[in-house]
Short mmCIF file of all heavy atoms in Angstrom, two decimals:
data_model
loop_
_atom_site.label_atom_id
_atom_site.label_comp_id
_atom_site.label_asym_id
_atom_site.label_seq_id
_atom_site.Cartn_x
_atom_site.Cartn_y
_atom_site.Cartn_z
N LEU A 1 107.22 -39.46 -75.05
CA LEU A 1 106.40 -39.01 -76.26
C LEU A 1 106.55 -37.57 -76.40
O LEU A 1 105.81 -36.70 -75.68
CB LEU A 1 104.92 -39.38 -75.99
CG LEU A 1 104.61 -40.91 -75.83
CD1 LEU A 1 103.10 -41.14 -75.82
CD2 LEU A 1 105.23 -41.79 -76.84
N ASP A 2 107.45 -37.14 -77.26
CA ASP A 2 107.73 -35.72 -77.45
C ASP A 2 106.82 -35.12 -78.64
O ASP A 2 107.27 -34.96 -79.69
CB ASP A 2 109.14 -35.56 -77.85
CG ASP A 2 109.70 -34.22 -77.98
OD1 ASP A 2 109.15 -33.27 -77.24
OD2 ASP A 2 110.44 -33.82 -78.97
N GLY A 3 105.63 -34.93 -78.16
CA GLY A 3 104.86 -34.24 -79.22
C GLY A 3 103.78 -35.09 -79.86
O GLY A 3 102.89 -34.72 -80.71
N VAL A 4 103.81 -36.46 -79.59
CA VAL A 4 102.75 -37.34 -80.17
C VAL A 4 101.30 -36.92 -79.79
O VAL A 4 101.13 -36.68 -78.59
CB VAL A 4 102.91 -38.85 -79.67
CG1 VAL A 4 101.83 -39.70 -80.10
CG2 VAL A 4 104.29 -39.23 -80.08
N GLY A 5 100.45 -36.70 -80.78
CA GLY A 5 99.06 -36.23 -80.44
C GLY A 5 97.86 -37.02 -80.92
O GLY A 5 96.79 -36.84 -80.42
N ASN A 6 98.08 -37.69 -81.96
CA ASN A 6 97.04 -38.47 -82.53
C ASN A 6 96.49 -39.52 -81.59
O ASN A 6 97.28 -40.35 -81.09
CB ASN A 6 97.42 -39.08 -83.82
CG ASN A 6 96.29 -39.85 -84.59
OD1 ASN A 6 95.92 -40.93 -84.10
ND2 ASN A 6 95.69 -39.27 -85.60
N PRO A 7 95.24 -39.53 -81.21
CA PRO A 7 94.66 -40.59 -80.23
C PRO A 7 94.75 -41.96 -80.66
O PRO A 7 94.99 -42.87 -79.91
CB PRO A 7 93.14 -40.17 -80.08
CG PRO A 7 92.87 -39.33 -81.20
CD PRO A 7 94.08 -38.72 -81.68
N HIS A 8 94.67 -42.21 -82.02
CA HIS A 8 94.82 -43.54 -82.54
C HIS A 8 96.22 -44.06 -82.47
O HIS A 8 96.56 -45.23 -82.08
CB HIS A 8 94.25 -43.75 -83.85
CG HIS A 8 92.85 -43.54 -84.03
ND1 HIS A 8 92.22 -42.28 -84.27
CD2 HIS A 8 91.70 -44.42 -83.94
CE1 HIS A 8 90.87 -42.42 -84.26
NE2 HIS A 8 90.66 -43.69 -84.16
N ASN A 9 97.23 -43.20 -82.74
CA ASN A 9 98.57 -43.44 -82.44
C ASN A 9 98.78 -43.74 -80.97
O ASN A 9 99.60 -44.75 -80.59
CB ASN A 9 99.53 -42.26 -82.94
CG ASN A 9 99.81 -42.39 -84.43
OD1 ASN A 9 99.48 -43.39 -85.09
ND2 ASN A 9 100.02 -41.19 -85.04
N LEU A 10 98.30 -42.90 -80.16
CA LEU A 10 98.52 -43.13 -78.63
C LEU A 10 97.97 -44.51 -78.24
O LEU A 10 98.64 -45.19 -77.51
CB LEU A 10 97.80 -41.99 -77.94
CG LEU A 10 97.83 -42.22 -76.31
CD1 LEU A 10 99.33 -42.27 -75.89
CD2 LEU A 10 97.11 -41.11 -75.63
N GLY A 11 96.73 -44.82 -78.71
CA GLY A 11 96.18 -46.17 -78.29
C GLY A 11 97.03 -47.35 -78.84
O GLY A 11 97.27 -48.25 -78.16
N ALA A 12 97.58 -47.23 -80.10
CA ALA A 12 98.46 -48.29 -80.64
C ALA A 12 99.81 -48.31 -79.85
O ALA A 12 100.24 -49.44 -79.61
CB ALA A 12 98.75 -48.08 -82.13
N ILE A 13 100.31 -47.15 -79.49
CA ILE A 13 101.49 -47.15 -78.56
C ILE A 13 101.22 -47.81 -77.30
O ILE A 13 101.98 -48.66 -76.84
CB ILE A 13 102.06 -45.69 -78.44
CG1 ILE A 13 102.58 -45.19 -79.72
CG2 ILE A 13 103.01 -45.58 -77.39
CD1 ILE A 13 102.83 -43.71 -79.79
N LEU A 14 100.11 -47.52 -76.65
CA LEU A 14 99.70 -48.14 -75.35
C LEU A 14 99.64 -49.64 -75.45
O LEU A 14 100.02 -50.44 -74.67
CB LEU A 14 98.44 -47.47 -74.77
CG LEU A 14 98.62 -45.98 -74.27
CD1 LEU A 14 97.17 -45.38 -74.11
CD2 LEU A 14 99.51 -45.85 -73.12
N ARG A 15 98.97 -50.07 -76.47
CA ARG A 15 98.89 -51.56 -76.73
C ARG A 15 100.24 -52.10 -76.84
O ARG A 15 100.50 -53.26 -76.21
CB ARG A 15 98.11 -51.79 -78.00
CG ARG A 15 97.65 -53.35 -78.14
CD ARG A 15 96.65 -53.46 -79.33
NE ARG A 15 96.29 -54.76 -79.45
CZ ARG A 15 95.39 -55.25 -80.28
NH1 ARG A 15 94.65 -54.46 -81.02
NH2 ARG A 15 95.05 -56.68 -80.35
N SER A 16 101.16 -51.56 -77.60
CA SER A 16 102.46 -52.19 -77.75
C SER A 16 103.23 -52.11 -76.43
O SER A 16 103.92 -53.11 -76.05
CB SER A 16 103.24 -51.33 -78.78
OG SER A 16 102.73 -51.69 -80.13
N ALA A 17 103.10 -50.93 -75.67
CA ALA A 17 103.77 -50.80 -74.34
C ALA A 17 103.29 -51.82 -73.49
O ALA A 17 104.08 -52.39 -72.75
CB ALA A 17 103.60 -49.37 -73.95
N ALA A 18 101.89 -52.14 -73.41
CA ALA A 18 101.42 -53.14 -72.62
C ALA A 18 101.95 -54.59 -72.85
O ALA A 18 102.41 -55.27 -72.03
CB ALA A 18 99.89 -53.25 -72.62
N ASN A 19 102.15 -54.78 -74.20
CA ASN A 19 102.62 -56.11 -74.61
C ASN A 19 104.04 -56.39 -74.10
O ASN A 19 104.43 -57.45 -73.86
CB ASN A 19 102.43 -56.23 -76.05
CG ASN A 19 102.86 -57.68 -76.61
OD1 ASN A 19 102.11 -58.67 -76.36
ND2 ASN A 19 104.03 -57.77 -77.33
N PHE A 20 104.83 -55.28 -74.39
CA PHE A 20 106.29 -55.46 -73.94
C PHE A 20 106.75 -54.88 -72.69
O PHE A 20 107.94 -54.96 -72.35
CB PHE A 20 107.09 -54.82 -75.13
CG PHE A 20 106.98 -55.40 -76.51
CD1 PHE A 20 106.31 -54.82 -77.50
CD2 PHE A 20 107.46 -56.68 -76.70
CE1 PHE A 20 106.17 -55.38 -78.79
CE2 PHE A 20 107.33 -57.28 -77.87
CZ PHE A 20 106.67 -56.68 -78.97
N GLY A 21 105.83 -54.39 -71.88
CA GLY A 21 106.13 -54.02 -70.40
C GLY A 21 106.79 -52.79 -70.35
O GLY A 21 107.67 -52.58 -69.42
N ALA A 22 106.42 -51.67 -71.18
CA ALA A 22 107.07 -50.31 -71.14
C ALA A 22 106.13 -49.38 -70.50
O ALA A 22 104.86 -49.52 -70.50
CB ALA A 22 107.40 -50.05 -72.52
N ALA A 23 106.66 -48.32 -69.98
CA ALA A 23 105.98 -47.25 -69.44
C ALA A 23 105.88 -46.12 -70.46
O ALA A 23 106.79 -46.12 -71.46
CB ALA A 23 106.57 -46.75 -68.15
N VAL A 24 105.07 -45.19 -70.25
CA VAL A 24 104.89 -44.02 -71.15
C VAL A 24 105.17 -42.74 -70.42
O VAL A 24 104.53 -42.52 -69.41
CB VAL A 24 103.53 -43.95 -71.76
CG1 VAL A 24 103.24 -42.52 -72.56
CG2 VAL A 24 103.29 -45.06 -72.83
N LEU A 25 106.16 -41.98 -70.83
CA LEU A 25 106.51 -40.67 -70.10
C LEU A 25 106.06 -39.49 -70.84
O LEU A 25 106.10 -39.38 -72.17
CB LEU A 25 108.00 -40.56 -70.11
CG LEU A 25 108.80 -41.79 -69.64
CD1 LEU A 25 110.32 -41.58 -69.57
CD2 LEU A 25 108.36 -42.32 -68.31
#
């Protein structure tokens, strides 16, 4: 995540990452 800052975007990204088994750097 190179500069992502919106908390709602972060939450949606985390939900997708959990569904597909990805980590967040």
